[in-house]
Amino acid sequence: YFPYHGYAIEARLYAEDPLKGFLPSTGPLVPYKEPTNRHDSSSLRIDSGVAEGHVVTPNYDPMLSKVIAFDPDSRIGAIDKLLGAMGEYVV
């Protein structure tokens, strides 16, 4: 048994072009800066496999990263942390 306490929400960042049917938007990631963890390390997690200069090709999944935000007290708190983190992305 694992007791669950708190609220989490996830967003995924893709290199896709919605105007082209969500096909991969290819090319180098310049600039590319991930959010800083301005909250304690237990409230924001960034799973990423790319860095600045990485080249997005049409041959692979265009997902760049997943951002997971957690708040022990409220869903709104988790959403606020996620929005803050996503607002710090530079792509």
Side-chain angles (χ1 to χ4, degrees):
Y1 173 74
F2 183 77
Y4 293 98
H5 299 287
Y7 302 83
I9 188 166
E10 174 183 291
R12 296 177 181 206
L13 181 66
Y14 283 85
E16 294 179 332
D17 187 342
L19 299 176
K20 295 182 180 175
F22 293 95
L23 290 173
S25 183
T26 60
L29 291 172
V30 178
Y32 180 80
K33 303 230 183 307
E34 294 179 350
T36 58
N37 194 347
R38 59 191 177 112
H39 307 286
D40 64 87
S41 62
S42 65
S43 67
L44 186 64
R45 176 177 156 183
I46 300 171
D47 292 343
S48 174
V50 299
E52 187 167 86
H54 176 90
V55 177
V56 177
T57 71
N59 302 321
Y60 299 99
D61 184 343
M63 185 169 65
L64 303 177
S65 70
K66 291 191 284 187
V67 180
I68 302 100
F70 171 80
D71 188 85
D73 301 318
S74 73
R75 181 169 166 77
I76 296 299
I79 291 169
D80 286 345
K81 289 175 184 177
L82 180 67
L83 289 173
M86 296 304 289
E88 290 182 20
Y89 259 104
V90 177
V91 181

